[in-house]
Amino acid sequence: MNTKKTAKLFLIFISGLATAQIGINTPNPLDTFHVDGGKDNPSSGIPTTDQQSNDFIVTKTGKVGIGTTTIGSGHMLEIVGPTNQIPNIQEASADIYMIPGSLQEKSTLRVANFQGKETQVTTFDGSYTGTRGDGIPYANLGVYFSNGDNISHELRSTIGGSHYFVINSRTITTMTASGNVGMGIVNNVGNLAPVSTLDVKGSVGGNIRALSSGTVADNDFTLLVQGSVSLPAASSANIRRIYYLINDTSASQTVSGNFRLNGNIFNSYTLNNSDGGRGISVQSDGNNWIIISKF
């Protein structure tokens, strides 16, 4: 082949690349770049769903399709495939796409067909501010989540540095910059800043059970003592732990353990039926069970 013919063919090839669609393993590329991994697409027309399952396509606007050549309106990435290819997506196919944010939102990621619903996660750039029920401004710093049942989860931060986890406009947990944690705050109204390390605005629950023998367990809280029982050895493994023990019989019952009261250390305590004697609360200092109250 002479030089003139080679140059002419090269120019034709370059011109084709500049103006045509590129297909790999297919004579019928459907957009700017189209790969048919299975080499099973027809020479003309749209491939079937099964034929598209091994395709990869990039459109002239930069949209990407994996397992499909048809990308939905507003989608930048569309994936169709078995669930084991996309963890945590429970349907046979899924649409994952980004939508542009408003003036308040930075961006939103949406997953369609997640258990038959649409899930969206919206990130905020900090410019969005609102007002809680008590008039203190806040900024949404984290994510907004909606699962199709009008359930929203938000992470908010006030100008003063407190952070709030909110479900459907109800504040569930609060944490201040100093590490104080608040729980049970209702409808964003009232004193929202916890003033103690743990500040619970509501009822508090603890495990309660009857024990007639054996050793008090790690997950116990209130014990209805019905026989001779023992406290676990006070150690670094249970330091600061608190137990409540109360006599639940008409007879006196003995609790064994390393007790400390008024500087004195003793190995057992008897619960009787008198006021101030039928129950005690103890707390571990890592070495002994300190009797902190009698009732």
Side-chain angles (χ1 to χ4, degrees), residues 208-212 222-226 248:
I208 181 171
R209 71 177 180 119
L211 184 64
S212 58
T222 299
L223 278 302
L224 304 177
V225 179
Q226 299 178 348
D248 192 43

Side-chain angles (χ1 to χ4, degrees), residues 88-93 111-119 147:
N88 299 325
I89 296 179
Q90 305 300 317
E91 298 293 327
S93 64
V111 181
N113 297 329
F114 179 78
Q115 295 181 342
K117 302 173 183 177
E118 180 178 275
T119 300
N147 70 352

Side-chain angles (χ1 to χ4, degrees), residues 140-156:
N140 280 331
L141 298 182
V143 297
Y144 171 86
F145 169 80
S146 176
N147 70 352
D149 290 326
N150 297 321
I151 298 176
S152 64
H153 302 255
E154 300 172 53
L155 177 63
R156 297 177 177 177

